[in-house]
Amino acid sequence: MSNEEKIYVFSYGTIQDPQFYKELLPNSKPMPAILNGYAKCVDETMYFLLKKDLSSQVKGSVFEISKEELFLIDRWELFPQYQRFQVNVLLTETNEILENVYVYTKLEVGKYYLATDDMGFSRNPNANENNLNSFIEMEKAIKDFPLTDYIFLYDINEQEFEEINKLTHPYAALIIDDKENRNYVAIHGSIFAIKEDGKMYAALTSFSQKSNLNSIFYYQAFNEKLLNSKPEITLKSLYDNTNIDFLINKKPVYYLSSREDKAINETQVGWYENKAFELVEKDFDIDPFIRFNKMLKAFFDTKQKNDK
């Protein structure tokens, strides 16, 4: 995607909060808009989502943003817990149809019902304000770190492969807590089941992170190779209806990271101890799943060459 192409996002929630867009999208102003054919709902987690409904419409705001800001919103929405897709919206001040606008939604947890106008930007304003304040401070702290995707590959059997494919909310948090050195790392991820060359893997994947930690760090952390550090490592499901007990006591067999580096001219790959793999690209694709497939292809292609 070229830098000249404009990116738009439609918000029916917190992105419309002035604290969010003034702090994190400083070059963008909200444009009042309506999304037709959808209903704004809330589920048992008290977070908003969209449901298709031809007789309904959702009021919100459109923001013109950069690709970097879209990745920031991915982090706020914990993509792919909240997936993004493109829609057409009506700009109410100009009566203009704006095409190919990104909007986020998620699969409901438990029962859901129509949201009411008095719910504001969140069903739980106090919790949302705390989350937003923490997120803004974190984004300020990591603003100069490179964009990074991660994939942690676990060996699994056929039964575990099928169990992953049945999960409706395959989301987990990987927590590395080094109490002695007061270092704490937590990343949210999604678990996918993949097959390659007759082998099955669980791929714990985290997209669009801003981080100075690559695959080598995670390999060393899991295998007690960090200098003067023996952190506690926890893999925790983010939903009560998601059972990932079969992964909790396992270590990844491979650690992958993909990093954006505007200073390079050609894509680079590297290995560490045949366990940690890194892909470095000049420009991240706007579609996280294109990046996911590209990282896996580069990993398996070079692994096959190394194994010969």
Side-chain angles (χ1 to χ4, degrees), residues 211-263:
S211 177
N212 60 350
L213 303 175
N214 64 10
S215 57
I216 296 175
F217 166 81
Y218 288 98
Y219 165 63
Q220 292 179 331
F222 267 95
N223 293 278
E224 298 185 356
K225 292 176 178 283
L226 292 174
L227 187 63
N228 300 322
S229 175
K230 290 187 178 181
E232 295 179 9
I233 300 177
T234 306
L235 181 63
K236 180 181 179 181
S237 171
L238 297 180
Y239 290 91
D240 292 338
N241 65 350
T242 299
N243 184 350
I244 56 170
D245 289 348
F246 58 91
L247 286 181
I248 287 175
N249 294 319
K250 291 185 178 183
K251 292 181 183 178
V253 289
Y254 296 106
Y255 306 77
L256 288 62
S257 59
S258 178
R259 173 168 53 88
E260 184 182 67
D261 185 348
K262 299 291 188 183

Side-chain angles (χ1 to χ4, degrees), residues 153-169:
L153 293 178
Y154 296 78
D155 273 333
I156 56 173
N157 58 37
E158 189 168 350
Q159 180 181 348
E160 292 165 341
F161 184 92
E162 295 301 326
E163 286 183 24
I164 292 172
N165 282 331
K166 291 177 183 177
L167 296 176
T168 58
H169 297 79

Side-chain angles (χ1 to χ4, degrees), residues 48-61:
F48 294 139
L49 64 142
L50 296 176
K51 282 293 182 181
K52 280 190 175 182
D53 185 343
L54 296 179
S55 63
S56 296
Q57 60 179 209
V58 179
K59 295 180 181 179
S61 301

Side-chain angles (χ1 to χ4, degrees), residues 167-221:
L167 296 176
T168 58
H169 297 79
Y171 309 118
L174 178 63
I175 301 167
I176 299 179
D177 189 2
D178 181 359
K179 291 184 172 64
E180 185 175 346
N181 296 298
R182 297 183 179 180
N183 291 324
Y184 183 89
V185 177
I187 59 174
H188 294 85
S190 302
I191 303 169
F192 306 105
I194 64 171
K195 288 183 180 179
E196 180 67 27
D197 197 25
K199 294 184 178 180
M200 289 170 282
Y201 301 94
L204 175 64
T205 306
S206 185
F207 294 110
S208 304
Q209 300 302 308
K210 283 277 216 165
S211 177
N212 60 350
L213 303 175
N214 64 10
S215 57
I216 296 175
F217 166 81
Y218 288 98
Y219 165 63
Q220 292 179 331

